[in-house]
Amino acid sequence: MKKSEIKFGVVVVITFAVIGAAVSLIFGRFIDFGSSKTIETSAQKTKPIGGTVSFSPPLLQDAPAEIKDAVMLGYNIMMNTQKYAAGYVGNKLNCTNCHFNGGITEGGRNGGLSLVGVAATYPRYRKGQNYSEDIVTRTNDCFERSMNGKPLPSYSKEMTAIVTYYQWISNGLPIYANIPWLGIEYIKSTHTPNPANGKQIFAQNCAVCHGNNGQGTQVVPPLWGNDSFNDGAGMDKLKDIAAFTLNNMPMTNPKLTDEDALDVAAFIINQPRPHFAAKKK
Ligand code: HEC
Ligand code: HEC
């Protein structure tokens, strides 16, 4: 064999090895190597990919130099929306009042509503519009409803910063992974909510911080009235506020039963609050 023929042979072998490895990497996840048959049920097809993921968001200060300013502005907007997105907020809330620590938490008990991994899970199907929604539109839902404010232009410095921040804190999580700490786990109790009992629960467990009239203080956010979220907000839905309360309130010491959480939630959402003009309900 000539030297050039040997070279050609080696190149061919390597090429096939690389293609083979790529094919098995891509299709390997669908193939059960343990059995002789290839199994792919419809359940597996619809299951989000990614397998088990673990919670380990990077530190903000470790963001690459070119995006660090945007990441930090995004974080500041989450923590002090009043200051850093003034003009787009119509109440006294900050994102972090619900997305604790700017969303850098593992959710669940005392974690508020996590945002770690959101960048990997959008665009996502949204029931309200029967189509998929991107992260900018989803964020503006919170601006218009939770914050009773105005949508940030998608090209604005602020929205770009928020999206960069999501992207950074989602670093390392596979696209469309099933991220267990995102979202709210609703209460399963079939108890019929009793707002009259909820009023008592509120007086005993919440008023000390949120005020007798739910108006809040300098350091505690309001629960109803002009300075609160509007009636189009997720937090104004019984199942959302009940589950949030069960997991997180009283702050740092959540201790209500499922039934009491449902009752106090029913009481709070019956109180007056701003009206969301474009409400679809
Ligand atoms: C020890 C003080 C304290 C008590 C008691 C307390 N909260 Fe809170 N609550 C807070 C603070 C502080 C926040 C904002 C957390 C943050 O920004 O990190 C908050 C946030 C909230 C929020 C989301 C933000 C908003 O204002 O809409 C809801 C809803 C809420 N609390 C409901 C309740 C309910 C219901 C109770 C009684 C079962 C309760 N809280 C008891 C301190 C308290
Ligand atoms: C009064 C409470 C509250 C405030 C304040 C709030 N949000 Fe939310 N946010 C929610 C609720 C409730 C959801 C829905 C959670 C769910 O259904 O999984 C949500 C969902 C989101 C989501 C989608 C998360 C997911 O897992 O799909 C994003 C992104 C988001 N909020 C961003 C923000 C930003 C940015 C701000 C501040 C401008 C903000 N939110 C202020 C209550 C709030």
Side-chain angles (χ1 to χ4, degrees), residues 44-71:
Q44 280 169 324
K45 262 187 207 156
T46 52
K47 207 168 112 192
I49 55 166
T52 323
V53 293
S54 58
F55 182 83
S56 59
L59 297 175
L60 299 183
Q61 61 260 38
D62 289 345
E66 321 84 71
I67 61 161
K68 200 164 179 172
D69 284 353
V71 169

Side-chain angles (χ1 to χ4, degrees), residues 93 96-98 100 205-206 208-210 219-223 229 235 241 244-245 249-251 256 264 268:
L93 298 184
T96 194
N97 293 153
C98 299
F100 293 175
N205 298 280
C206 321
V208 60
C209 291
H210 289 280
V219 287
V220 182
L223 295 179
F229 51 85
M235 208 50 105
I241 187 171
F244 177 89
T245 299
M249 294 293 145
M251 187 81 194
L256 300 188
V264 77
I268 293 169

Side-chain angles (χ1 to χ4, degrees), residues 74 77-78 81 85 88-89 91 93-99 113-115 117-118 121-122 124 126 133 135-136 138-147 152 159 162 166 181-186 222 228-230 233-237 240-241 244:
I77 294 170
M78 302 298 301
T81 326
Y88 295 93
V89 181
N91 62 19
L93 298 184
N94 294 299
C95 309
T96 194
N97 293 153
C98 299
H99 302 284
L113 304 171
S114 176
L115 294 175
V118 273
T121 65
Y122 278 80
R124 189 196 295 177
R126 194 100 195 274
E133 182 180 64
I135 196 68
V136 168
R138 183 64 190 85
T139 297
N140 275 333
D141 282 345
C142 269
F143 268 98
E144 291 182 275
R145 299 156 187 255
S146 303
M147 310 298 286
L152 275 169
M159 183 57 88
I162 294 173
Y166 294 152
W181 56 82
L182 283 180
I184 303 181
E185 199 186 329
Y186 297 127
S228 183
F229 51 85
N230 68 36
M235 208 50 105
D236 194 46
K237 291 190 197 128
D240 290 64
I241 187 171
F244 177 89

